[in-house]
């Protein structure tokens, strides 16, 4: 086999081996609950609509460059034993001007919609918007609804087709707030009061997570955005506004309440339950923890089994997290605490 | 006669091989030291990459755990940038810039040795963190206030990172200064700026970039150090500081750094494509000025790393525009490389294959970079795997593929042996396939909303397939890199029989034997045009631009033949070797002081790390003091070292 044929054959093999990757890529992407190509909010929809034409322009540029490259390599290759010296061509000013202008024009085409959309995304959503304060903590999210006097963790409830205005601050280091299907990222910086606005356009649950490296459990700083109809949202708000302070009727849960409020057990040093002595501000507010779908910064679904697993050894579930128990809880204590926390609906 | 005189001259410095390497000030030996050190670090950085890909190969994997994973990805990035690509570029600067400009050494040979030793010791300080179980874990970008406050990063991890990078920064600055002066002052007669090989041009531009960009990193690192050690609050929001200041300081360094990593490889490509096409570089002037324009613009784009910070739409608009502008000179380069190949007589050697694949792969990285410049799109892509794909297409598909091409191209000159072409081509194809298999799927993961720097992901995210493919690609890439080492090590056991000019080269390094003698050129060459050696070989009809103005240029020069030389203008060379009187070539004497100065500097950094320990804190400042004393004594010795009356230093 001559060298030229070897070269051609290996090139074909290489290209063919890449094709399935690319082809299947186009078929298999988009299936994640965080896939941006299925936007469910105005912000991400506009971003995706901006991306698609840029993508095709890019494909065009790449195909052009690669086609010229491969053709030149094939057409002007030196065959074995061939010893020629081509004309010593130093350049061509017209060509240079042409290929300076072409990228400039392509970039101008990209720049115009880029800049206009950027200013559009930054526009204030108006007085109708739902305002939520977002506080980043290592490694969980706090959501405050000032107009309803509701505080929750890791679950952001918003209303479909109603603009939402997130005012964001961090309790410790820099985080970044990202719900891929609804909007782009906005960093959550201590001492800054960043704002992110968008309008959810689809009812459903959309996962998001921290996008700026923020320490050991950055990967597990997740949350969910629950987009509801106005009626569902109002019902949720009413439920969250209920005090959860009464002693539960279930004796097991009552025992759990007692354990929770005993200062020596340290729970109330970090956690708050409205209407009780638990006023800690370090960890998530647990007033309605039983109503939430996820716990521990989105690592676990909120089931009695998972809650028990968490209370048994939070450091095993999420190594490095800030929840440190003063002592190992007994199985009986865990059972009681789970009953109490689950009763906080 | 010439040879024996040279031997006599060198006999004064005959020492054991080890001492020879430790005290050398020869730019070629220092280049080789850089070469092997950074290749060793490439193996470490590559191994860390394989650990990352092994952790992510399946969802919910527990192979590494969060702390180890964070250390591994931090060190992978830090090593690949500061300990692999930059010093590999430096290896080629060292070995080839003096040869390509017809000089006998760099402007400051001992400073050059110091740069190498400070680089090596700084690297070892950084890597020693693994031995103490405290490898840096804040990312290569080390965002404050996570890194600046002991509240959020209590261990020694970040201290190793800060001190290691400070030592490396000194090494880099010294080296940049050296090459800047060398290129400005030490060119052979007739080598006007616009006759310099493009690799030399890109070295010069890179030196300027380093000189202007690294101080910003240094300042930032000093501020982190003060916040951590001395209770300042530069980045502490609770006391009125602002962590975003670090991001500005870091990216004012960090974006030019990208061009520090890619411009020298672009220079390599601009040497290799013409050689194997047997044509001059198409549009030399445009390629050179495109490089300069890229470098200039690179200082005005840093905030495109910070679009999601919330600086506001007006700053974002400015930085988006300047970022898009950079694509224009970059496109000009790509088209000129294509123009170089067009109409050539292309020889399909391994070096050419790597260089050609650079064009295609770098184009992918370049156009995904344009996507990021579109601010709204970047709100999605930043800190997602899309960005990981992008910069690996630039730094692997760009820098490293070009460096691979340069290794195959220049290995014969450095070691006098030709690398095996069959093994080389196998290495090339495995690399190209493994690279694309690893990094192309990361675009898909970016579309699927996978963020960067996560040690794990759950099975219900639907990210398993492309992570699996990427991991398989990474193993393939690892195996292909081993082939390069097999090739180099087996080649080094063969006899050194490479010809002086194996590729029909165009630049001056091919005019002298492989490997070159200690003094490089028997006679300083006189340069009559671009592609100086090609003109000497094939005649003057190729001469571009005016003939050299300096005297001694009228006769036909053959750099091979010392008796055929005019008395070239030796200003700036420190030696006067005209008329074949090689006995007068004085090589700078070896010196221990560069090594001891670098060791003292590193000791200062190590002392600061010790100071941050719990048990040995009281030893910290005494060690720093010892380091300072060592630096001072070494510098005194350096200053008063008896040097040859005509030494370069």
């Amino acid at each position: 086999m001559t060298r030229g044929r070897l070269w051609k054959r290996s090139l074909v093999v290489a290209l063919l081996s890449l094709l399935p990757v690319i082809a299947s890529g186009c078929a298999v992407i988009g299936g994640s609950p965080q896939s941006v190509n299925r936007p469910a909010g105005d912000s991400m929809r506009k971003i995706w609509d901006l991306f698609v034409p840029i993508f095709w322009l890019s494909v065009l540029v790449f195909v052009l460059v690669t086609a010229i490259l491969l053709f030149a390599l094939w057409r002007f290759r030196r065959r074995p034993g061939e010893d020629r010296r081509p004309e010593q061509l130093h350049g061509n000013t017209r060509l240079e001007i042409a290929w300076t202008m072409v990228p400039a024009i392509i970039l101008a085409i990209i720049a115009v919609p880029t800049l206009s959309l950027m200013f559009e995304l930054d526009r204030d959503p108006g007085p109708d918007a739902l305002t939520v304060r977002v506080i980043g903590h290592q490694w969980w999210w706090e959501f405050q609804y000032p107009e309803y006097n509701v505080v929750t963790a890791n679950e952001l409830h918003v209303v479909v087709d109603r603009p939402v205005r997130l005012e964001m601050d961090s309790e410790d280091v820099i985080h970044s707030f990202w719900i891929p299907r609804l909007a782009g990222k906005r960093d959550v910086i201590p001492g800054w009061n960043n704002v992110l606005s968008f309008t959810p356009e689809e009812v459903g649950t959309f996962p998001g997570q921290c996008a700026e490296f923020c320490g050991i459990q950055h990967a597990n700083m997740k949350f969910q955005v629950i987009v509801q109809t106005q009626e569902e949202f109002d019902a949720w708000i009413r439920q969250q506004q209920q005090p959860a302070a009464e002693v539960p009727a279930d004796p097991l849960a009552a025992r759990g309440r007692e354990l929770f409020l005993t200062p020596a057990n340290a729970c109330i040093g970090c956690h708050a339950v409205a209407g009780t002595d638990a006023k800690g501000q370090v960890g998530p507010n647990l007033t309605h923890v039983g109503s939430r779908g996820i716990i521990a910064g989105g690592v676990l679904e909120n089931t009695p089994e998972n809650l028990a697993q968490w209370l048994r050894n939070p450091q095993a579930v999420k190594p490095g997290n800030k929840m440190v128990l003063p002592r190992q809880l007994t199985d009986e204590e865990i059972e009681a605490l789970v009953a109490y926390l689950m009763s906080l609906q | 006669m010439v040879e024996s005189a040279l031997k006599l001259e060198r006999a004064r410095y005959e020492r054991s091989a080890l001492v020879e390497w430790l005290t050398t000030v020869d730019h070629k030996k220092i280049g080789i030291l850089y070469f092997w050190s950074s290749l060793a670090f490439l193996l470490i950085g590559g191994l860390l990459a394989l650990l990352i890909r092994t952790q992510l190969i399946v969802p919910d994997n527990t192979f590494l755990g969060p702390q180890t994973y964070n250390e591994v990805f931090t060190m992978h990035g830090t090593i690949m940038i500061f300990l692999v690509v930059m010093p590999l570029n430096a290896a080629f600067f060292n070995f080839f810039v003096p040869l390509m400009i017809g000089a006998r050494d760099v402007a400051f040979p001992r400073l050059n040795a110091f740069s190498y030793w400070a680089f090596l010791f700084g690297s070892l300080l950084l890597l020693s963190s693994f031995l103490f179980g405290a490898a840096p874990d804040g990312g290569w970008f080390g965002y404050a206030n996570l890194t600046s406050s002991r509240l959020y990063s209590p261990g020694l991890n970040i201290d190793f990172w800060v001190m290691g990078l400070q030592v490396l920064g000194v090494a880099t600055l010294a080296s940049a200064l050296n090459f800047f002066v060398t290129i400005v002052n030490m060119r052979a007669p007739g080598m006007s700026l616009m006759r310099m090989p493009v690799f030399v041009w890109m070295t010069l531009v890179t030196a300027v970039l380093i000189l202007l960009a690294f101080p910003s990193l240094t300042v930032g690192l000093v501020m982190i150090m003060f916040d951590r050690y001395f209770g300042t609050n530069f980045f502490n929001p609770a006391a009125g500081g602002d962590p975003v200041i670090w991001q500005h300081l870091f990216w004012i360094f960090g974006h030019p750094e990208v061009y520090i990593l890619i411009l020298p490889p672009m220079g390599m490509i601009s040497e290799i494509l013409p050689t194997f096409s047997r044509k001059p570089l198409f549009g030399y002037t445009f390629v050179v000025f495109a490089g300069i324009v890229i470098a200039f613009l690179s200082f005005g784009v840093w905030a495109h790393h910070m679009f999601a910070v919330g600086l506001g739409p007006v700053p974002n608009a400015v930085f988006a525009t300047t970022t898009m502008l950079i694509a224009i000179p970059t496109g000009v380069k790509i088209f000129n490389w294509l123009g170089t190949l067009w109409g050539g007589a292309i020889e399909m050697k391994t070096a050419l294959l790597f260089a050609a694949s650079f064009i295609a792969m770098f184009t992918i990285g370049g156009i995904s970079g344009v996507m990021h410049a579109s601010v709204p799109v970047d709100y999605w892509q930043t800190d997602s795997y899309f960005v990981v794909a992008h910069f690996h297409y630039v730094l692997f598909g760009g820098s490293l593929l070009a460096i691979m091409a340069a290794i195959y191209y220049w290995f014969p000159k450095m070691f006098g042996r030709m690398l095996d072409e069959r093994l080389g081509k196998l290495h090339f194809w495995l690399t190209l396939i493994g690279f694309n298999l690893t990094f192309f799927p990361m675009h898909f993961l970016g579309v699927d909303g996978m963020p960067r720097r996560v040690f794990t992901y759950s099975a219900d995210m639907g990210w398993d397939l492309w992570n699996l493919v990427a991991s398989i690609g990474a193993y393939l890439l690892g195996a292909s890199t081993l082939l390069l080492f097999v090739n180099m090590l087996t080649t080094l056991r063969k006899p050194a029989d490479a010809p002086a000019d194996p590729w029909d080269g165009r630049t001056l390094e091919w005019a002298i034997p492989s490997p070159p003698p200690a003094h490089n050129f028997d006679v300083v060459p006189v340069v009559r045009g671009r592609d100086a050696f090609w003109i000497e070989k094939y005649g003057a009809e190729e001469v571009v631009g005016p003939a050299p103005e300096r005297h001694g240029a009228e006769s036909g020069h053959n750099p091979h033949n010392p008796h055929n030389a005019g008395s070239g203008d030796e200003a700036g060379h420190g030696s006067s070797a005209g008329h074949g009187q090689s006995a007068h070539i004085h090589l700078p004497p070896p010196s221990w002081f560069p090594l001891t100065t670098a060791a003292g500097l590193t000791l200062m950094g190590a002392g600061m790390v010790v100071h941050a320990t719990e048990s040995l804190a009281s030893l910290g400042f005494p060690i720093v003091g010892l380091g300072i004393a060592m630096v001072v004594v070494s510098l005194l010795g350096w200053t008063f070292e008896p040097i040859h009356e005509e030494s370069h230093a």
Side-chain angles (χ1 to χ4, degrees), chain B residues 129-455:
Chain B
S129 60
F130 281 116
L131 303 177
F132 301 97
D137 56 357
W140 91 277
F141 50 94
Y143 269 15
N145 52 345
L146 181 64
T147 51
S148 62
S149 165
R150 289 203 185 269
L151 197 61
Y152 305 120
S153 46
L156 298 179
N157 314 55
I158 303 298
D159 300 313
F160 273 112
W161 183 76
V162 170
M163 295 307 155
L165 285 193
Q166 288 289 43
V167 176
L168 287 168
V170 174
T172 308
L173 278 169
S175 172
L177 198 75
N178 209 339
F179 282 96
F180 182 80
V181 177
T182 301
I183 295 169
V184 170
N185 275 357
M186 314 238 330
R187 281 169 285 131
M191 176 73 82
S192 62
L193 285 176
M194 291 315 282
R195 284 176 177 173
M196 293 197 311
V198 176
F199 179 67
V200 177
W201 256 115
M202 291 305 114
T203 307
L204 180 66
V205 172
T206 303
V208 174
L209 279 178
I210 291 173
L211 289 173
L212 297 178
F214 264 70
S216 180
L217 175 67
T218 306
V219 166
L221 288 172
V222 167
M223 288 161 90
I224 285 195
M225 177 176 122
F226 271 62
D227 269 14
R228 289 180 71 83
Y229 283 86
F230 307 121
T232 55
N233 292 304
F234 292 114
F235 306 123
N236 178 9
D242 186 352
V244 175
I245 292 170
W246 163 261
Q247 298 188 18
H248 286 290
L249 288 170
F250 183 78
W251 290 117
I252 290 170
F253 147 78
H255 201 80
E257 171 69 13
V258 175
Y259 297 101
I260 291 167
L261 297 171
I262 193 70
L263 285 177
M266 286 177 165
M268 296 166 188
I269 294 302
S270 306
E271 301 303 325
I272 293 166
L273 293 177
T275 298
F276 291 99
S277 312
R278 287 191 166 174
K279 266 182 71 203
L281 182 69
F282 197 84
Y284 171 95
T285 321
F286 287 88
V287 173
V288 167
F289 277 94
I292 295 171
V293 169
I294 289 173
F296 180 78
L297 287 174
S298 77
F299 283 99
V301 299
W302 77 88
H304 71 210
H305 297 267
M306 303 163 62
F307 281 154
V309 163
L311 299 174
V314 174
N316 280 1
V318 172
F319 283 98
T321 312
T322 50
T323 303
M324 287 187 183
L325 286 181
I326 280 199
I328 297 172
T330 311
V332 166
K333 286 200 166 204
I334 286 172
F335 285 116
N336 276 302
W337 290 322
L338 294 177
T340 305
L341 289 169
W342 197 270
I346 301 168
E347 193 174 18
M348 294 294 172
K349 294 290 189 193
T350 308
L352 185 273
L353 292 180
F354 271 109
S357 69
F358 165 97
I359 299 177
M361 296 302 110
F362 180 75
T363 300
I364 296 181
I367 53 190
S368 58
V370 172
M371 294 175 184
H372 306 324
S374 176
V375 182
V377 176
D378 190 67
Y379 287 157
W380 146 40
Q381 290 174 343
T382 184
D383 281 323
S384 80
Y385 258 84
F386 205 95
V387 166
V388 182
H390 157 72
F391 69 74
H392 281 99
Y393 269 87
V394 174
L395 292 181
F396 196 113
S399 299
L400 267 176
L401 285 183
I403 286 170
M404 296 294 175
I407 290 176
Y408 282 91
Y409 179 60
W410 276 323
F411 196 89
K413 186 54 64 183
M414 294 175 83
F415 300 101
R417 297 161 174 89
M418 311 281 289
L419 285 170
D420 186 84
E421 275 292 315
R422 282 172 65 106
L423 212 52
K425 286 189 172 138
L426 184 64
H427 170 218
F428 166 73
W429 286 109
L430 281 182
T431 302
L432 189 65
I433 294 169
F435 164 72
N436 281 292
L437 216 51
T438 309
F439 296 110
F440 207 84
M442 292 187 184
H443 293 109
F444 306 151
L445 289 170
V447 173
D448 281 342
M450 180 167 173
R452 293 171 74 179
R453 302 161 186 146
V454 291
F455 75 93

Side-chain angles (χ1 to χ4, degrees), chain A residues 3 6-7 10-11 13-14 17-18 20-22 24-26 28-37 44 47-48 50-51 54-55 58-59 61-62 64-66 68-69 71-74 76-79 82-93 95-97 99-101 103-104 107 110-111 113-115 117-119 121-122 138 171-174 176 178 180 183-187 189-192 194 207 209-220 222 319 322, chain B residues 66-67 70 73 137-139 141 143-146 152 237 242-244 247 275-284 286 308-311 313-314 316-317 320-321 324-325 327-328 331-332 334-336 338-339 341-349 352-353 356 359-360 363-364 367 370-371 373-384 386 425 429 433 436-437 440-441 444 446-456 458 460-463 465-466 506 530 534 538 542 544:
Chain A
R3 203 141 46 128
L6 176 70
W7 151 244
S10 34
L11 182 78
V13 169
S17 65
L18 282 178
V21 177
I22 294 164
S24 57
C26 299
V28 182
I29 52 174
S32 165
Q34 293 189 182
S35 294
V36 297
N37 60 332
M44 193 58 224
I47 291 173
W48 184 255
L50 175 64
F51 169 72
I54 297 179
F55 170 75
S58 305
V59 170
V61 171
F62 176 71
L64 183 78
V65 168
T66 313
I68 297 173
L69 174 68
F71 179 77
L73 288 175
W74 170 77
F76 303 106
R77 73 194 182 281
R78 215 185 301 171
R79 287 176 181 79
E82 192 184 359
D83 186 34
R84 65 187 158 91
R85 267 193 297 140
E87 190 197 343
Q88 299 294 296
L89 202 69
H90 287 279
N92 180 321
T93 307
L95 267 178
E96 299 289 347
I97 291 169
W99 61 46
T100 310
M101 292 309 292
L107 289 167
I110 296 175
T114 286
L115 297 184
L117 179 58
M118 192 182 65
F119 282 93
L121 292 180
D122 207 64
Q138 281 184 322
E171 195 58 35
D172 33 58
V173 300
I174 298 175
S176 190
W178 187 30
K185 299 176 189 73
R186 185 54 48 96
D187 289 356
I189 303 168
W192 286 43
N194 270 343
Q209 63 190 107
C210 177
E212 186 59 86
F213 182 68
C214 57
I216 183 168
Q217 281 294 346
H218 162 62
N220 285 327
K222 306 192 239 181
K322 304 279 182 192
Chain B
Q67 179 59 33
N70 294 345
F73 87 69
D137 56 357
F141 50 94
Y143 269 15
N145 52 345
L146 181 64
Y152 305 120
D242 186 352
V244 175
Q247 298 188 18
T275 298
F276 291 99
S277 312
R278 287 191 166 174
K279 266 182 71 203
L281 182 69
F282 197 84
Y284 171 95
F286 287 88
V309 163
L311 299 174
V314 174
N316 280 1
T321 312
M324 287 187 183
L325 286 181
I328 297 172
V332 166
I334 286 172
F335 285 116
N336 276 302
L338 294 177
L341 289 169
W342 197 270
I346 301 168
E347 193 174 18
M348 294 294 172
K349 294 290 189 193
L352 185 273
L353 292 180
I359 299 177
T363 300
I364 296 181
I367 53 190
V370 172
M371 294 175 184
S374 176
V375 182
V377 176
D378 190 67
Y379 287 157
W380 146 40
Q381 290 174 343
T382 184
D383 281 323
S384 80
F386 205 95
K425 286 189 172 138
W429 286 109
I433 294 169
N436 281 292
L437 216 51
F440 207 84
F444 306 151
V447 173
D448 281 342
M450 180 167 173
R452 293 171 74 179
R453 302 161 186 146
V454 291
F455 75 93
T456 190
S458 65
D460 53 16
M461 296 312 289
W463 297 332
L465 175 66
W466 296 119
R506 312 181 70 85
R530 246 172 245 161
W534 182 268
Y538 297 110
E542 311 294 349
V544 187

